[in-house]
Every structure is written in C-alpha cells, then in structure tokens.
Amino acid sequence: GENVEQHPSTLSVQEGDSAVIKCTYSDSASNYFPWYKQELGKRPQLIIDIRSNVGEKKDQRIAVTLNKTAKHFSLHITETQPEDSAVYFCAARQTGANNLFFGTGTRLTVIP
Amino acid sequence: SAVISQKPSRDICQRGTSLTIQCQVDSQVTMMFWYRQQPGQSLTLIATANQGSEATYESGFVIDKFPISRPNLTFSTLTVSNMSPEDSSIYLCSVEPQETQYFGPGTRLLVL
C-alpha cells in the first residue's frame, strides 16, 4: 500500500507569516493528493487538492505544490490568521483505488 | 458535495458490549468508507462498503470485530463488537461523489 509521511508534526507561526507543511509518498502510481483541515472536535474538511497532471494549484491564501519526481507535495498558507489554527492532514490515493492514505497530521498554531 | 449524518454523535459504553453506528448520505453513492481516528492520531481506513457485496477490510481490521452493512446506496452501518477500552476512538464515515472524499461528523466512542 501507500505510505504517506508528513512534517512537521507541530508548527507555530506569527499571524501574517506563512506556513508550509510537507508530505512525501511512496507509491509513484499515486495520482491524487488532497489536504484536509480538522478543527478541534470537528470533521476533516477538504481545503484543496491536486492531481498528478498539475504541478501547482492555488486558492486565495492556500496553495499546494507537487513534485512527482521527488514524490512530495506541500501545502502553503500565506498571511496566516488565527482561524487557520487547526490540524492539517495530507493524503494520497493510488491510481485505480478509491481509498485515501493519510499523513500523521500537523498541528498549526497561529499566534495573534 | 454531500451531506452526511451519523448517529449517535457520541456514546459511552461498557466493555464487552457492542455499538452500531449509522451513516446516512443525502445522495446515492457507490462506495462508503469507514475510518477510525484514535485520540490525537490520524485517520485509518477500516473498510470500504459497497452495496450488494461484502465490505472490503484493511489490514488489521476483521469482519467479526467490525461488521458492516450497506443495504442501499445512501446508508451504511458499522458495528464495533465486544468493545474494549482500546476501541475508544472517533469513527467517521466518508463518501466520494465525483472523486472528492467528504466526511461525516463522526461518532465519538468511549469504552469503560
């Protein structure tokens, strides 16, 4: 199966600064990479995703980059706000499969 | 997107008993997924449920412990059998209409 590693496990930034979370995956056949945000006591919510035929995708303050050769992808949050504080999970899905393999999560704290 | 509800939202159970969790979706979906999220941990797939066939279980999960039903395209149940304190977790169902996976609100289970 797929193995997804995520770093760092915790990240603290000052409000207004940028945050970067990185993930690596093991199966070169994986072709779909979503990012989820989970606030305390709530369900994971999809915030952005990228497919293997695209190198970068942006949605307002959030962007994801994918390096297929190196098998890693990253989440970038610019101009962070206190409401960005949450646990973020990356995931990967193998070609032809339906289930997602999740990273271990990053607890992001944005300090006002 | 999809609107997903789960019942119960939380429960406290005695060891050795069983609990059935229900998941209802507002649209017909081919596959439904059941995940477990242990305290402070990532999401681990338990099984994938298709209507009309037996669920497919991931390594480390067995049907006798986690029987699943999928009577129609909008509903599924997961039973946690013969519970022990190690089963204390959040259980989430998930669906994937149009290749994007959405999560239910989760069932928070505490086994004493």
Side-chain angles (χ1 to χ4, degrees):
Chain A
E2 175 63 276
N3 181 42
V4 180
E5 296 189 355
Q6 183 171 347
H7 299 281
S9 57
T10 61
L11 178 61
S12 292
V13 299
Q14 292 288 332
E15 182 177 358
D17 288 349
S18 295
V20 180
I21 303 170
K22 299 181 180 181
C23 288
T24 61
Y25 59 99
S26 60
D27 188 348
S28 57
S30 289
N31 65 350
Y32 176 65
F33 309 93
W35 285 89
Y36 288 84
K37 174 184 180 182
Q38 188 175 31
E39 296 177 71
L40 188 63
K42 298 192 175 180
R43 76 187 79 188
Q45 296 271 18
L46 178 73
I47 55 172
I48 196 167
D49 57 10
I50 192 167
R51 301 183 189 276
S52 59
N53 58 345
V54 175
E56 183 174 358
K57 184 176 179 181
K58 191 172 182 180
D59 182 4
Q60 299 183 341
R61 296 186 297 109
I62 295 173
V64 57
T65 58
L66 171 64
N67 184 326
K68 288 171 55 180
T69 303
K71 290 188 285 186
H72 68 70
F73 55 112
S74 300
L75 177 70
H76 304 254
I77 306 174
T78 58
E79 301 172 28
T80 53
Q81 301 168 2
E83 50 266 37
D84 294 329
S85 296
V87 178
Y88 291 81
F89 293 99
C90 64
R93 184 172 65 205
Q94 297 166 299
T95 302
N98 295 97
N99 53 298
L100 295 173
F101 293 88
F102 283 84
T104 48
T106 297
R107 181 174 299 278
L108 173 65
T109 302
V110 179
I111 303 167
Chain B
S1 65
V3 177
I4 308 169
S5 60
Q6 283 185 236
K7 291 181 183 179
S9 58
R10 58 179 64 229
D11 207 342
I12 301 173
C13 301
Q14 296 297 319
R15 69 173 66 206
T17 63
S18 297
L19 175 72
T20 295
I21 302 167
Q22 299 178 7
C23 179
Q24 180 76 50
V25 190
D26 68 338
S27 58
Q28 293 184 342
V29 291
T30 303
M31 293 187 184
M32 296 179 79
F33 306 91
W34 286 99
Y35 286 85
R36 181 175 73 182
Q37 187 175 29
Q38 294 178 303
Q41 302 296 312
S42 185
L43 295 97
T44 302
L45 182 66
I46 298 171
T48 303
N50 291 330
Q51 193 227 352
S53 63
E54 277 202 5
T56 303
Y57 288 83
E58 297 300 307
S59 175
F61 299 95
V62 294
I63 188 171
D64 289 347
K65 176 67 175 178
F66 298 101
I68 287 171
S69 79
R70 183 79 200 275
N72 58 54
L73 292 174
T74 63
F75 186 79
S76 178
T77 67
L78 169 76
T79 298
V80 187
S81 303
N82 188 25
M83 288 184 285
S84 66
E86 292 72 37
D87 294 320
S88 298
S89 284
I90 300 172
Y91 293 85
L92 301 114
C93 69
S94 175
V95 300
E96 192 178 86
Q98 300 174 345
E99 298 189 324
T100 300
Q101 201 161 120
Y102 299 96
F103 287 88
T107 295
R108 189 178 297 270
L109 172 61
L110 176 63
V111 184
L112 302 177

